[in-house]
């Protein structure tokens, strides 16, 4: 039980505390006492304590607490359920529903819903009871209250059975048997089997109905539950009669009668009396059967079993006819017709009600489904977003680390490298007179290696710094960029007599220094990878493509085989030995990084021996 004394902490004024404390204390102690007597199954004393607590609670507005209220009401509901006092049960369940919803106590809400459902069912108000059970079922499932979920399903099934909707009823009972077997108490299990048997009987599927009655009978006998066994026998006998299986019908009816003689108010009594009446009639004992049928009809009335009453009148009129008591037979026939008409009318009304209920439920179910879908979708979306955010963050961190790594290595490696280079030169100079040709060659290797490594580190540094700056894009005229790139490559252009033809160039938003690097690398490669004895010709073009500018740098060089077209963009990937073509294998990866940073793409189209075209886009 929650610590209710906490509720008074907020009272500032001492006298208020005093005033509030005493009724609160009294209520709590009364609830405690009622709990105790409830556990001892002393319903009367429990009720006395509860009523007293309830009175104090209602008379003292200052202690008003929904939790406390829910606690008292919950106990009332339990008590009146036990007492099967449906009027009071309904009253307190409705109060409990209200307050449990206010405090968001779903478990108590489920109790309230279920009990309102039960009371309304008892008063045959299926239209109200059905949605209560459906709601309670849904919530019980969510909360994992399997016991309650099973009860709700059984109640829903029974309502459907009362509405003559056998299919829906069977569906619910079967679900209970399939999914909730473990929480069913034995007698409930038997009752469900009997109900299913009855449903099959009502839909003229006698063989199936017998199967279920037999199952029920077996369990009842196992548990020595005479009333259930009696009921099962009676129902079996009725089914055998429908199948014209007289010996078996007789056997079952006699067994049922034997059980019934041992217990008061056996369920299915009216059914068995009519079975016996029918059997005696078939045995041509009209006198015996007319006595039995009258007893059967009376019992059916007491049990408010309309179907049996109808069966009784039908049989009785046949008996009277057989007795040639035509006047009475006619009167009986008229009563039967009237009753049958009433019964059919009732059945029709139930069908309509069933339709209305299912229509309303479908609406409700649709709303629930939509809501669940939406919640599921939203959760999925949130999950996805947070996943993406997490991945982005990881990616960003990894990128940053990589950049830092590359920057630090290239920076910090250059210093020791410079030392290697300069000291080897000093040694070479100092001992120049002692060096033979081989030694001089070895020194050349050292110097070349140092220079090459220096070049690699420069390129690495360049690569690392591309992503470093926070990009502040500015309008850049590409024509100007090309002029700068060309002037940086002036020497090699002149040396190789390269012809560069340039179309009209746009202005784009970018970082000028990066674009110079980009064009310079691509033009530089176009010259470097020229064909021997062939004057390099480079065509540079730009065209609008949807939301992008598409640039192309086309050469007449050696070209690139298909299988290499992807890997040349990977850092340090080269296709040739540096003896043939100098380089570090970083140029294109830098180009790729620059274009990607601007939101574009870089690729190559080429044919070995016929030249290459490097293409890239830059968003407008
Ligand atoms: P590097 O030029 O330093 O070798 P890059 O990354 O610029 O490195 O180029 C990678 C490889 O792609 C080059 O080694 C070369 O084999 C190939 N390549 C690049 N540009 C061209 C081109 N215009 N024609 C033919 N091959 C090229």
């Amino acid at each position: 039980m929650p610590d209710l004394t906490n509720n008074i902490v907020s009272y500032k004024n001492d006298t208020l505390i005093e005033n509030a404390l005493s009724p609160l204390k009294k209520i709590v102690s009364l609830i405690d006492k009622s709990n105790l007597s409830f556990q001892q199954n002393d319903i009367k004393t429990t009720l006395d304590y509860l009523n007293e607590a309830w009175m104090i609670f209602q008379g003292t507005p200052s202690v008003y607490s929904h939790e406390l209220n829910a606690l008292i009401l919950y106990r009332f509901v339990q008590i009146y359920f036990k007492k099967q006092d449906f009027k009071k049960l309904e009253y307190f369940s409705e109060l409990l529903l209200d307050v449990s919803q206010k405090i968001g106590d779903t478990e108590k809400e489920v109790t309230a819903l279920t009990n309102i459902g039960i009371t309304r069912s008892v008063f045959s108000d299926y239209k109200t009871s059905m949605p209560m059970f459906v709601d309670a079922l849904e919530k019980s499932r969510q909360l994992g209250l399997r016991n309650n979920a099973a009860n709700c399903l059984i109640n829903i099934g029974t309502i459907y059975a009362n509405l003559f909707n056998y299919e829906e009823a069977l569906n619910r009972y079967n679900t209970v048997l399939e999914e909730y077997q473990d929480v069913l108490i034995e007698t409930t299990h038997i009752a469900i089997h009997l109900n299913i048997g009855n449903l099959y009987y009502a839909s003229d599927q006698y063989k199936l109905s017998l199967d279920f009655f037999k199952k029920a009978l077996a369990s009842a006998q196992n548990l020595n539950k005479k009333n259930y066994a009696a009921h099962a026998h009676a129902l079996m006998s009725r089914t055998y009669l429908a199948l014209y299986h007289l010996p078996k019908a007789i056997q079952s009816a006699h067994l049922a009668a034997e059980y019934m003689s041992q217990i008061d108010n056996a369920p299915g009594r009216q059914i068995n009396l009519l079975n016996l009446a029918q059997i005696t009639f078939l045995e041509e004992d009209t006198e015996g059967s007319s006595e039995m049928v009258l007893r059967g009809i009376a019992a059916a009335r007491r049990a408010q079993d309309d179907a049996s009453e109808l069966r009784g009148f039908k049989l009785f009129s046949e008996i009277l006819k057989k007795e040639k008591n035509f006047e009475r037979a006619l009167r009986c026939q008229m009563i039967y017709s009237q009753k049958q008409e009433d019964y059919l009318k009732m059945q029709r009304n139930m069908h309509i009600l069933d339709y209305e209920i299912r229509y309303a439920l479908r609406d409700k179910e649709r709303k629930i489904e939509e809501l669940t879908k939406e919640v599921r979708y939203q959760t999925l979306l949130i999950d996805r977003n947070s996943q993406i955010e997490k991945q982005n963050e990881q990616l960003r961190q990894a990128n940053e680390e990589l950049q830092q790594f590359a920057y630090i290595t290239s920076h910090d490696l250059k210093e020791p490298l410079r030392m290697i280079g300069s000291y080897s030169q000093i040694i070479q100079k100092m001992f120049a007179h002692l060096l033979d040709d081989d030694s001089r060659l070895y020194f050349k290797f050292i110097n070349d290696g140092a220079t090459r490594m220096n070049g690699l580190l420069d390129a690495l540094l360049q690569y690392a710094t591309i992503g470093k700056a926070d990009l502040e894009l500015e309008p850049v005229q590409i024509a100007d960029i090309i002029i700068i790139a060309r002037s940086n490559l002036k020497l090699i252009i002149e040396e190789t007599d390269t012809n560069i033809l340039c179309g009209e160039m746009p202005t784009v938003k970018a970082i000028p220094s990066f674009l110079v690097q980009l064009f310079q690398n691509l033009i530089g490669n176009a010259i470097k990878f020229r064909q021997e004895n062939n004057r390099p010709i480079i065509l540079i073009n730009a065209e609008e493509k949807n939301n992008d500018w598409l640039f192309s740098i086309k050469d007449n060089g050696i070209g690139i085989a298909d299988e290499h077209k992807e890997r040349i963009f990977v850092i340090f990937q080269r296709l040739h030995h540096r003896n043939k073509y100098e380089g570090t294998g970083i140029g294109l990866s830098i180009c790729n990084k620059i274009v990607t940073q601007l939101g574009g793409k870089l690729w190559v189209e080429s044919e070995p021996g016929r030249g290459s075209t490097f293409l890239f886009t830059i968003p407008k």
Side-chain angles (χ1 to χ4, degrees), residues 525 528-529 555 560 568 573-576 583-585 587-588 614:
N525 277 352
K528 183 160 63 173
F529 298 103
D555 64 44
I560 300 162
I568 54 170
Q573 292 289 332
R574 313 195 65 235
L575 304 179
H576 311 277
T584 56
L588 282 182
F614 281 83

Side-chain angles (χ1 to χ4, degrees), residues 100-381:
S100 60
Q101 281 173 343
K102 274 192 189 125
I103 58 175
D105 186 334
T106 323
E107 215 167 314
K108 290 200 173 70
E109 188 187 348
V110 165
T111 307
L113 286 168
T114 311
N115 282 295
I116 297 173
I118 291 171
T119 54
R120 296 288 165 84
S121 275
V122 168
F123 303 128
S124 301
D125 178 3
Y126 303 135
K127 224 173 175 169
T128 338
S129 64
M130 188 65 115
M132 294 286 165
F133 285 130
V134 170
D135 210 358
L137 172 64
E138 182 67 29
K139 290 189 166 116
S140 303
R141 275 180 166 154
Q142 278 169 12
L143 290 174
L145 302 171
R146 293 170 50 73
N147 232 316
N148 208 69
N151 281 337
C152 289
L153 270 169
I154 295 170
N155 284 319
I156 293 172
T158 308
I159 293 178
Y160 275 127
N162 289 338
L163 293 171
F164 298 94
N165 187 337
Y166 302 140
E167 203 185 315
E168 296 283 346
L170 269 174
N171 180 319
R172 299 314 187 283
Y173 288 141
N174 281 325
T175 311
V176 177
L177 290 183
E178 279 160 23
E179 291 176 24
Y180 294 94
Q181 183 104 6
D182 55 308
V183 295
L184 294 182
I185 53 168
E186 310 261 17
T187 45
T188 311
H189 208 231
I190 300 174
I192 294 176
H193 278 145
L194 290 178
N195 284 0
I196 294 181
N198 266 331
L199 290 171
Y200 281 127
Y201 176 85
S203 24
D204 300 333
Q205 290 176 270
Y206 302 128
K207 291 243 158 63
L208 270 171
S209 93
L210 270 179
D211 286 347
F212 280 90
F213 292 144
K214 281 180 189 165
K215 279 185 201 171
L217 177 64
S219 323
Q221 282 171 334
N222 261 344
L223 295 167
N224 198 22
K225 296 277 175 197
K226 288 186 181 162
N227 49 348
Y228 284 101
H231 199 179
H233 273 307
L235 292 170
M236 280 167 70
S237 171
R238 186 184 62 179
T239 317
Y240 283 127
L241 281 168
L243 283 166
Y244 302 104
H245 238 304
L246 197 54
K248 287 206 163 166
I250 294 172
Q251 192 190 15
S252 295
H254 285 168
L255 285 168
E258 201 179 307
Y259 275 119
M260 285 176 185
S261 68
Q262 297 168 31
I263 40 177
D264 294 333
N265 294 326
R269 220 184 150 74
Q270 73 283 9
I271 292 171
N272 208 44
L273 286 168
L274 294 171
N275 292 338
L276 291 167
Q278 202 172 335
I279 290 166
T280 23
F281 178 62
L282 289 169
E283 287 169 340
E284 313 228 336
D285 173 3
T286 42
E287 205 174 311
S289 70
S290 71
E291 189 213 317
M292 200 66 88
V293 84
L294 287 173
R295 282 175 60 197
I297 290 173
R301 279 193 176 151
R302 273 199 304 277
Q304 296 182 327
D305 178 353
D306 294 339
S308 290
E309 201 183 334
L310 205 58
R311 178 185 170 205
F313 276 108
K314 192 176 175 205
L315 180 60
F316 194 34
S317 77
E318 279 172 39
I319 296 169
L320 291 169
K321 254 187 268 168
K322 188 97 186 199
E323 281 179 338
K324 302 213 177 349
N325 192 341
F326 296 115
E327 203 185 320
R328 267 189 92 188
L330 190 69
R331 252 193 323 212
C332 187
Q333 180 67 41
M334 275 165 69
I335 297 172
Y336 168 72
S337 305
Q338 183 57 49
K339 287 213 174 283
Q340 192 182 33
E341 202 175 300
D342 291 347
Y343 189 74
L344 288 176
K345 213 185 271 169
M346 186 265 287
Q347 208 169 20
R348 247 194 331 268
N349 286 340
M350 288 297 174
H351 280 312
I352 294 170
L353 189 59
D354 171 48
Y355 181 79
E356 283 175 4
I357 288 173
R358 275 183 302 136
Y359 188 80
L361 280 183
R362 219 165 286 155
D363 213 44
K364 196 182 163 103
E365 267 164 15
R366 220 193 41 237
K367 274 185 197 140
I368 290 176
E369 202 179 313
E370 271 169 17
L371 225 79
T372 334
K373 251 195 221 151
E374 169 131 359
V375 170
R376 216 178 298 144
Y377 179 71
Q378 295 254 1
T379 327
L380 213 73
L381 214 67

Side-chain angles (χ1 to χ4, degrees), residues 44-63:
K44 197 192 159 299
T45 319
T46 313
L47 252 182
D48 287 345
Y49 286 134
L50 269 185
N51 278 324
E52 202 182 329
W54 181 237
M55 253 171 56
I56 301 173
F57 182 81
Q58 285 182 313
T60 324
S62 60
V63 293

Side-chain angles (χ1 to χ4, degrees), residues 592-614:
N592 196 27
K593 207 169 168 187
I594 292 172
V595 173
T596 311
Q597 285 253 335
L598 290 171
K601 267 179 73 176
L602 168 66
W603 70 100
V604 67
E605 289 169 3
S606 177
E607 233 182 279
R610 307 202 59 171
S612 317
T613 308
F614 281 83

